[in-house]
Structure formats: C-alpha cells, structure tokens
Amino acid sequence: DTGVSQDPRHKITKRGQNVTFRCDPISEHNRLYWYRQTLGQGPEFLTYFQNEAQLEKSRLLSDRFSAERPKGSFSTLEIQRTEQGDSAMYLCASSPGSGNEQFFGPGTRLTVL
Amino acid sequence: SQQGEEDPQALSIQEGENATMNCSYKTSINNLQWYRQNSGRGLVHLILIRSNEREKHSGRLRVTLDTSKKSSSLLITASRAADTASYFCATDANDRGSTLGRLYFGRGTQLTVWP
C-alpha cells in the first residue's frame, strides 16, 4: 500500500498526558499537512511542511502542539499536557506540491478523558 | 477561517436517484476540490476543478464551477447505497483571498442513499 499512513489509529489518554502521532506520506510527495476534525465539522488546517521546512502554523496550534518532519520524510505531531478539548480526529495529508490534490491518511482519533 | 459552505447540510435519497450538492465560497480561488469521507475515516479525493474550467466529469460524478457566482456543484448520478458518506468542498484560498497551498473545508453535506 503506497498511500498515506498514520499511527496509531486510535489513542485514548488522560488529561495532562503527552501524546505523539506519526504520519508517513506518499514517498515522492514533498508537501505534508496536518488537519484536525471535530464531529460535524470539516477538517481545519493545523500546519504544513515543504520537505523538512515547516512553512505555516495555524493559530489553532497552541504552544502545546509541535510538529516535526525530520529529513523531509515522515512527520510527527506531539500534543503536550492534553486537554479534553484536544479530542478530535487528526488527519495527515500529502501532495506533490501546491495547487494539487491532497491525499489523506485514515486519521488518528484522539480521546482525552 | 473556513471558506466553503456546502448546501444542503443533509440529503437523503433513494438508490438510483441523482444527488446534487452545492458549495459557495467568498473569494477568488485557483482551484476547488471535492472530497468524500465515510464515517470515522480519512478523506478521499474525488475531483479537482481549476478556476479556468467550468465542468469536469469522473465516472458518475459531474462537477461544475461558476466563478462569477463563486459556487460549485457536485452531481452524483444513479446513486448507490455505497455513496452514503459526507461530501466536502475545499478551496485553496481563505475568505481573505490568501492562497498558501493549504485547503479550506466547509462543514460538508451528509448524503444518505437508501437501498
């Protein structure tokens, strides 16, 4: 399977704990995006990378959130000191460049108790 | 800030009928895309239409774009129960006209196709 993969698919954690999600994009895609989606809403942009450079961060991304893409390959999204409001589906997508379709992974569903 | 807005929010039809979903947006765009999402899953890209195109087809899908009205429609012909999903339009510009490569999604239309 050469699509976008995300790990884990589900994560349940207690408030205050740290969590880390991983995204493996399609190998030849230089752009990687993170979105968050809550129930009944469309995905909301969090941040994106072109190769290893993080080019933009949404205001939704508080200082508890950090994302990396070392070597321009896979990416990780870490949430520190999780809050119940962080419960959502976290989606990763990749594309070969700007202005193209984005290919989404299956998402990581986070539940913060 | 979200830009696209789908209409209706929910649509319920019988198998074999056509389903039409609309999307309106506020500023100039380079392209508009439609995605499908089954419950609890990731999004699947359906079709991309560029601002200089007026209509595109892909199988049972037909997408139109009217840049003068800042609207798009997605038509699914001869619907099937397996078409049941949420459908989102996404633009490459926010409501201030800034294009940065990311996508701006609406809240989606929930389509239910009854067998």
Side-chain angles (χ1 to χ4, degrees):
Chain A
D1 189 338
T2 57
V4 178
S5 62
Q6 292 186 246
D7 182 69
R9 296 289 304 277
H10 303 273
K11 179 70 178 178
I12 301 174
T13 191
K14 292 183 179 178
R15 188 163 49 95
Q17 298 293 305
N18 299 344
V19 294
T20 299
F21 309 141
R22 176 180 170 124
C23 171
D24 286 89
I26 294 171
S27 59
E28 61 267 27
H29 287 180
N30 58 23
R31 285 212 170 189
L32 186 149
Y33 305 82
W34 285 99
Y35 294 86
R36 182 172 70 184
Q37 185 180 25
T38 53
L39 199 63
Q41 302 293 316
E44 292 180 295
F45 170 79
L46 292 178
T47 188
Y48 84 94
F49 294 83
Q50 177 144 326
N51 300 313
E52 65 274 10
Q54 188 173 16
L55 295 188
E56 189 184 1
K57 291 171 62 172
S58 163
R59 281 171 289 182
L60 291 175
L61 219 62
S62 75
D63 57 7
R64 297 184 296 106
F65 288 69
S66 63
E68 293 182 343
R69 193 184 182 196
K71 303 176 184 177
S73 55
F74 70 92
S75 176
T76 58
L77 177 68
E78 181 183 16
I79 309 174
Q80 296 182 327
R81 305 181 302 282
T82 53
E83 302 172 355
Q84 286 184 325
D86 297 331
S87 295
M89 174 80 89
Y90 289 83
L91 295 163
C92 175
S94 69
S95 74
S98 177
N100 293 288
E101 64 182 277
Q102 295 183 15
F103 294 82
F104 281 79
T108 294
R109 180 166 296 283
L110 172 66
T111 302
V112 182
L113 303 175
Chain B
S1 48
Q2 291 188 313
Q3 149 105 282
E5 195 165 314
E6 292 89 346
D7 171 65
Q9 289 188 352
L11 181 61
S12 187
I13 59 174
Q14 295 289 133
E15 259 191 335
E17 294 180 341
N18 296 341
T20 300
M21 290 160 268
N22 303 297
C23 171
S24 59
Y25 57 93
K26 297 175 186 173
T27 65
S28 297
I29 58 173
N30 295 316
N31 65 63
L32 184 144
Q33 302 182 42
W34 285 90
Y35 287 82
R36 164 200 167 117
Q37 184 179 39
N38 286 69
S39 180
R41 303 291 187 93
L43 281 78
V44 174
H45 182 266
L46 295 176
I47 203 160
L48 181 153
I49 186 165
R50 302 198 184 276
S51 59
N52 60 353
E53 297 174 311
R54 291 296 167 258
E55 188 170 311
K56 280 188 89 168
H57 297 255
S58 176
R60 293 183 298 112
L61 306 180
R62 181 174 81 105
V63 167
T64 62
L65 180 65
D66 186 334
T67 52
S68 66
K69 295 181 179 177
K70 294 186 170 56
S71 67
S72 174
S73 68
L74 169 67
L75 169 67
I76 304 174
T77 60
S79 63
R80 305 166 182 167
D83 294 328
T84 295
S86 292
Y87 292 82
F88 295 91
C89 70
T91 61
D92 64 342
N94 66 8
D95 57 4
R96 292 182 296 281
S98 172
T99 57
L100 294 167
R102 53 153 122 158
L103 293 177
Y104 299 85
F105 289 86
R107 291 194 174 90
T109 292
Q110 173 61 50
L111 173 66
T112 303
V113 182
W114 298 99

